[in-house]
Amino acid sequence: QKEVEQNSGPLSVPEGAIASLNCTYSDRGSQSFFWYRQYSGKSPELIMFIYSNGDKEDGRFTAQLNKASQYVSLLIRDSQPSDSATYLCASKVGANNLFFGTGTRLTVIP
Amino acid sequence: NAGVTQTPKFRILKIGQSMTLQCTQDMNHNYMYWYRQDPGMGLKLIYYSVGAGITDKGEVPNGYNVSRSTTEDFPLRLELAAPSQTSVYFCASSYAALGRETQYFGPGTRLLVL
């Protein structure tokens, strides 16, 4: 079973704070990891992906990967109310197979 | 560009009925995918295709069939609808393999099987 686990939340943070979203995976064969944002009733959209240990930054978002501990995290700096959404973590096994977690619901309080 | 389009937006089926969910992309992407998302859950890959004429199973293919006769279209067929197939179905496409290219999702088809 190629499981990806996330805390379903909800996670609430005040506007301007750092939101920290975490994800663990069970398959050591996972090659790369993806963070998607999904607004209620909408389709997922890719925020970023990471495949090397360490940090990867893109604007207000930072993805962190620790393959030894099998966890991935997403930090959102200066959180805005528009960041309120469900964040899906996914791991890629093989060429095209993505395994998704159940998502963490984030609420940014103005 | 319209991106990835899906029809219908919503459908109610009776148990045992069949239907085809349509997916079209106008970005000349080689890779196309079908996912289902059950309420409060993540997405599960049903089938994918790496080009016209080539399809492969994902995590949950049972009860579904696909074909890819053109680069643009990737229909998903449900032959004998069951209540367990009640879900939101998302089609997605990408130019190259995941991780090298962004995956674009369609707006989804909500299916209710009664």
Side-chain angles (χ1 to χ4, degrees):
Chain A
Q1 186 72 13
K2 299 173 176 58
E3 291 184 352
V4 175
E5 301 208 358
Q6 298 180 254
N7 187 327
S8 61
L11 173 66
S12 295
V13 300
E15 184 174 353
I18 295 175
S20 177
L21 304 158
N22 300 312
C23 169
T24 59
Y25 61 95
S26 60
D27 189 347
R28 288 194 176 272
S30 298
Q31 301 155 351
S32 49
F33 304 87
F34 300 76
W35 283 101
Y36 288 82
R37 178 175 61 201
Q38 186 175 27
Y39 293 112
S40 182
K42 302 295 186 183
S43 54
E45 53 182 328
L46 183 67
I47 298 173
M48 59 194 307
F49 66 88
I50 185 168
Y51 50 84
S52 299
N53 273 328
D55 295 359
K56 180 180 178 182
E57 188 174 315
D58 184 359
R60 296 187 295 112
F61 300 95
T62 299
Q64 299 174 317
L65 173 60
N66 183 323
K67 289 188 178 180
S69 300
Q70 295 179 247
Y71 85 78
V72 194
S73 63
L74 179 70
L75 301 178
I76 306 175
R77 289 182 300 281
D78 188 23
S79 296
Q80 301 297 309
S82 58
D83 295 325
S84 297
T86 295
Y87 289 80
L88 300 169
C89 171
S91 72
K92 177 182 162 184
V93 179
N96 289 288
N97 221 340
L98 276 188
F99 291 90
F100 283 81
T102 55
T104 297
R105 189 155 52 94
L106 172 66
T107 300
V108 180
I109 303 167
Chain B
N1 281 354
V4 180
T5 57
Q6 293 182 239
T7 56
K9 286 190 173 62
F10 176 66
R11 182 78 182 267
I12 299 175
L13 278 184
K14 293 182 180 177
I15 294 171
Q17 286 186 320
S18 301
M19 77 164 294
T20 298
L21 283 67
Q22 302 291 346
C23 175
T24 300
Q25 53 90 9
D26 62 359
M27 297 175 282
N28 201 31
H29 284 172
N30 294 316
Y31 294 69
M32 295 188 75
Y33 313 82
W34 273 106
Y35 294 92
R36 61 176 287 174
Q37 186 175 32
D38 297 336
M41 304 294 285
L43 283 76
K44 291 188 185 295
L45 182 66
I46 305 172
Y47 272 96
Y48 67 93
S49 168
V50 300
I54 307 170
T55 62
D56 208 348
K57 296 178 181 178
E59 188 183 357
V60 290
N62 290 344
Y64 307 94
N65 277 301
V66 293
S67 59
R68 184 95 182 271
S69 56
T70 67
T71 299
E72 296 79 17
D73 301 306
F74 190 40
L76 178 71
R77 179 83 178 161
L78 282 72
E79 290 295 349
L80 291 169
S84 60
Q85 293 177 305
T86 293
S87 192
V88 178
Y89 291 83
F90 289 104
C91 179
S93 72
S94 61
Y95 183 72
L98 296 173
R100 293 166 55 197
E101 287 288 331
T102 296
Q103 190 179 46
Y104 296 87
F105 282 83
T109 292
R110 190 174 299 271
L111 178 66
L112 179 61
V113 181
L114 298 175

